[in-house]
Amino acid sequence: MKKNSFINYSLLIVIITIIFLIIYVVVQQTYRTGANDPQMQMAQEIKSKLQQNRSIEKFFTDTIDIAQSLSAFNVLYDNAGKSIRSSGYLNNKIPELPQGVLEFAKKNTEHDVTWQPEPGVRIAMVILSSNSAPVSFVASGRSLQEVGMRVHDLITIIFFGWMICVALVLLQATFNFHNGRKTNFKNI
């Protein structure tokens, strides 16, 4: 095989790899950002009801174990970052967000974050800054377990698709190499 052919096939494998990586990143980010949609809706609705002095009881009717449940939960925090009320619990306690997360939400009015309060528990959290004393922050979250399974399946699909494409390129290179050798032997 000529040096140019080797470079061409190598470049083709690099291009295929880049394309598959781009597909992975786009789909993975779509999965992850889409995981915030229900929480964004709930947090905005709670914030709006608080500002209008309307009841928010329907958002706090259930007790959710965030380590086990796929259900969305809500937490209200005061200005110091202490929880006031929650529908979600972790180890029978109201989950406390890191202070830096709340500070970012205060500066930017909103913060979407992946939070891992303990190993094996990953939560998609949406935190909105609120000026409805004593509530300074409205947070809504839910498990990323299903998203994690989708991403795992995505990795498997991407990997096998990439392997098939690379195998086809290598098969073509091998075919061209053997045809080139036969042509060279006929010329001798």
Side-chain angles (χ1 to χ4, degrees):
M1 186 175 352
K2 294 179 183 177
K3 187 175 181 178
N4 267 353
S5 295
F6 176 78
I7 291 172
N8 289 341
Y9 287 119
S10 297
L11 185 60
L12 185 56
I13 290 172
V14 168
I15 291 169
I16 289 169
T17 302
I18 290 170
I19 290 170
F20 274 89
L21 285 173
I22 290 170
I23 292 169
Y24 168 76
V25 168
V26 168
V27 175
Q28 186 274 340
Q29 284 298 296
T30 301
Y31 286 163
R32 177 56 193 90
T33 56
N36 290 341
D37 293 345
Q39 298 89 282
M40 180 58 73
Q41 177 186 356
M42 288 189 315
Q44 286 180 348
E45 192 172 340
I46 292 170
K47 180 179 175 180
S48 175
K49 288 185 183 288
L50 284 169
Q51 290 171 340
Q52 298 168 8
N53 291 321
R54 294 178 57 203
S55 175
I56 57 169
E57 292 305 313
K58 75 176 188 177
F59 296 101
F60 296 93
T61 59
D62 200 5
T63 301
I64 298 162
D65 179 355
I66 67 173
Q68 303 297 321
S69 179
L70 297 177
S71 295
F73 64 95
N74 303 294
V75 187
L76 303 178
Y77 294 96
D78 66 14
N79 198 38
K82 297 293 179 200
S83 55
I84 300 170
R85 188 170 187 186
S86 181
S87 61
Y89 291 83
L90 180 62
N91 302 320
N92 297 318
K93 296 177 187 169
I94 296 175
E96 299 292 338
L97 286 169
Q99 192 61 34
V101 171
L102 297 174
E103 289 171 11
F104 185 90
K106 184 181 247 180
K107 286 181 194 171
N108 298 286
T109 68
E110 177 186 323
H111 192 21
D112 304 340
V113 65
T114 300
W115 177 43
Q116 186 169 342
E118 66 179 35
V121 179
R122 291 183 65 239
I123 305 293
M125 290 291 290
V126 172
I127 303 106
L128 300 179
S129 180
S130 175
N131 58 357
S132 303
V135 177
S136 293
F137 302 97
V138 176
S140 294
R142 73 176 176 146
S143 173
L144 282 170
Q145 181 181 346
E146 289 296 315
V147 172
M149 290 190 300
R150 286 187 190 117
V151 169
H152 179 269
D153 292 345
L154 173 66
I155 290 170
T156 302
I157 292 166
I158 292 288
F159 176 74
F160 283 114
W162 176 80
M163 288 293 293
I164 290 168
C165 289
V166 169
L168 289 173
V169 169
L170 294 176
L171 187 65
Q172 181 65 38
T174 303
F175 177 76
N176 287 348
F177 175 75
H178 285 296
N179 278 346
R181 288 187 75 190
K182 287 180 184 176
T183 304
N184 288 341
F185 283 129
K186 286 181 184 177
N187 292 337
I188 296 180

